Amino acid sequence: MKVMIRKNAAGELTAYVPKKDLEEPITECQKPELWGGVVTLANGWRLELPEMPGDTRLPITVEARRLEG
């Protein structure tokens, strides 16, 4: 699914899923550089993000995979 990753005004990472009109803060990252790992959103969703360079500029739209559980 398409997901836009950005920083909000407070500097927190957020994920926006246009298809669901859902925007949630990212509360946990599997990897410190964010990319290529699993992130957890405030609503409990877990998304697997693609591998990208650590210095990738935000905001960016990526193809992420929602994990069940």
Side-chain angles (χ1 to χ4, degrees), residues 25-31 34 38-42 45-47:
I26 295 174
T27 58
E28 190 176 316
C29 296
Q30 182 182 26
K31 294 186 173 181
L34 180 70
V38 176
V39 296
T40 303
L41 306 184
W45 282 21
R46 296 175 59 233
L47 302 174

Side-chain angles (χ1 to χ4, degrees), residues 6 9 12-14 17-18 21 24 38 42 47 54-55 63 67 69:
R6 64 181 178 180
E12 301 170 314
L13 287 170
T14 63
V17 183
D21 194 27
E24 291 286 333
V38 176
L47 302 174
D55 61 352
E63 188 67 35
L67 304 175

Side-chain angles (χ1 to χ4, degrees), residues 48-60:
E48 183 178 27
L49 299 180
E51 286 283 348
M52 298 180 79
D55 61 352
T56 299
R57 292 175 52 108
L58 300 176
I60 189 169

